[in-house]
């Protein structure tokens, strides 16, 4: 019989009743069960399994809201849907969306901590979950689109260029320094404006450099629900106008400068006479172009004139190319310059160079009526819209078999424009065989060029004696 005072008897039984090995196995099983229950109750591997309060931050897209709702939303607004769950707004992003406002907020969530985060209203705040906000002033709900550890939306001011077509009256109101506000919040600032003509005199093409207040979502910048990248459309309603166009540039502003071009057009005599060096093409209070030089020439139609203008265009650069409004500045592109008294709407003949006006001698041959031939004299001047374009230097006439017609060789000094080696009078390149139009108040003649750079016929002039036999001569 074992000693009643011994804890473990000689047979290994605890208090003489339970085998010590069996007791250790039972204790081990109980320890595993207790640990499992604790793990399930904790919900994860968070080191805080004591049932304390945890914190996380979410981005809520509240969608389009009435303006009176978004005006009431402020940082610091709180909502406690239950005794152990609390939501506090920590940052706000607003963007216009028609007659409503797109709202995105950052919110701090406080709720019981678990091993995997927190249990806000008995569920984890996962992406896509709908959360409500209810205060004394408003009710709203939104979708969780971001989860993180910072209280701000990771926003920044992003420089963009917006292209829009606006009425002339609205374009005049767009001014650098204008702020686009939604309630008391600034969402964009106008930094620069470039205004260009269109084919419609009542509408302008407007390029606006704007600093947008954006926020970041999964590494991309957003303005409202619009990703900030080229081609996307945004709307910015100011007090007196609305900019609503596409993003032409992102991350850079208007790189503006003057580009000198030569433009060729055909104008009426009245319009051609109005074009003068120094004229400014003003649009919406801005100078879009300045006329630096002018050359005017006759055409075969007395009511129409060929006009060359050297103009300094206010252009902007995009990916290395110069643009005047929607038009890339290069040869043969069409541009419109609407002045108060005339409109130039022609094609670009030269870029980064002006009018090279010079005097060039040519010899022109033509056949005219005898009366006109007698009117041609050295010193005659052709004046078009107030500009002297050509002068007669030499005249040589020859009879033809038709007594009413006379062949003439006229040496002309032409006021020409140059494009490198290419010299032109009106729209005609100075090459042998090309026609030249010459007009004075008394006569007009048109004929092909026989020589360029000389006023004389080829060969050496000489006198020759001939004998003429006359018959049927009336006394």
């Amino acid at each position: 019989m074992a000693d009643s005072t011994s804890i473990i008897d000689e047979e290994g039984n605890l208090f003489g009743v339970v085998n010590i090995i069996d007791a250790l196995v039972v204790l081990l099983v109980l320890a595993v069960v207790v640990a499992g229950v604790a793990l399930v109750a904790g919900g994860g591997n968070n080191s805080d399994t004591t049932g304390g309060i945890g914190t996380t931050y979410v981005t809520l897209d509240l969608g389009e809201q009435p303006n009176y709702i978004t005006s009431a939303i402020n940082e610091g607004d709180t909502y406690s849907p239950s005794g152990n769950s609390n939501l506090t707004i920590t940052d706000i992003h607003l963007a216009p969306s028609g007659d409503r406002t797109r709202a995105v907020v950052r919110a701090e969530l406080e709720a019981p901590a678990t091993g995997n985060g927190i249990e806000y209203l008995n569920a984890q705040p996962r992406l896509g979950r709908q959360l409500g906000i209810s205060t004394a002033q408003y009710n709203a709900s939104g979708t969780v689109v971001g989860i993180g550890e910072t209280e701000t939306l990771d926003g920044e001011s992003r420089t963009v260029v917006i292209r829009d077509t606006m009425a002339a009256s609205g374009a005049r109101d767009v001014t650098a320094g204008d702020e686009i506000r939604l309630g008391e919040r600034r969402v964009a600032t106008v930094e620069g404006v470039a205004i260009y003509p269109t084919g419609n005199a009542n509408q302008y093409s407007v390029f606006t450099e704007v600093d947008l207040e954006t926020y970041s979502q999964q590494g991309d910048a957003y303005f409202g629900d619009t990703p900030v990248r080229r081609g996307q459309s945004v709307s910015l309603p100011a007090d007196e106008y609305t900019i609503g166009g596409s993003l032409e540039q992102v991350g850079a502003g208007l790189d503006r400068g003057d580009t000198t071009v030569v433009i060729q057009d055909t104008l009426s005599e009245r319009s051609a006479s109005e074009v003068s060096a120094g004229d400014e093409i003003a649009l919406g209070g801005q100078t879009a172009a300045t006329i630096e030089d002018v050359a005017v020439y006759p055409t075969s139609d007395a009511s129409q004139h060929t006009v060359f203008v050297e103009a300094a265009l206010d252009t902007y650069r995009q990916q290395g190319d110069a643009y005047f409004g929607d038009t890339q500045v290069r040869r043969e592109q069409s541009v419109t310059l609407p002045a108060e008294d005339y409109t130039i709407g022609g094609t670009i003949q030269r870029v980064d160079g002006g009018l090279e006006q010079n005097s060039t001698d040519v010899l022109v041959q033509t056949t005219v009526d005898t009366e006109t031939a007698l009117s041609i004299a050295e010193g005659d001047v052709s004046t078009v819209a107030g500009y002297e374009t050509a002068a007669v230097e030499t005249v040589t006439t020859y009879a033809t078999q038709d007594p009413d017609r006379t062949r003439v060789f006229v040496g002309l000094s032409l006021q020409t424009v140059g494009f490198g080696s290419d010299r032109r009078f009106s729209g005609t390149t100075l090459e042998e065989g090309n026609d030249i139009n010459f007009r004075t108040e008394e006569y007009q003649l048109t004929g092909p060029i026989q020589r360029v750079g000389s006023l004389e016929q080829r060969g050496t002039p000489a006198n020759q004696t001939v004998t003429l036999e006359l018959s049927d001569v009336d006394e």
Side-chain angles (χ1 to χ4, degrees), residues 318-357:
Q318 183 173 313
Q319 297 179 345
D321 297 320
Y323 284 81
F324 185 72
D326 298 326
T327 302
Q328 185 177 348
V329 181
R330 63 172 184 261
R331 287 194 61 192
E332 302 306 323
Q333 290 284 73
S334 297
V335 295
T336 300
L337 302 180
E340 291 186 3
D341 299 319
Y342 59 87
T343 296
I344 297 171
T347 56
I348 298 174
Q349 302 297 311
R350 188 181 192 185
V351 178
D352 292 330
L355 280 173
E356 297 176 3
Q357 299 199 59

Side-chain angles (χ1 to χ4, degrees), residues 12-31:
N13 294 321
L14 186 63
F15 298 112
V17 177
V18 180
N19 185 278
I20 185 61
I21 300 300
D22 293 337
L24 290 175
V25 171
V26 170
L27 290 174
L28 178 61
V29 171
L30 287 174

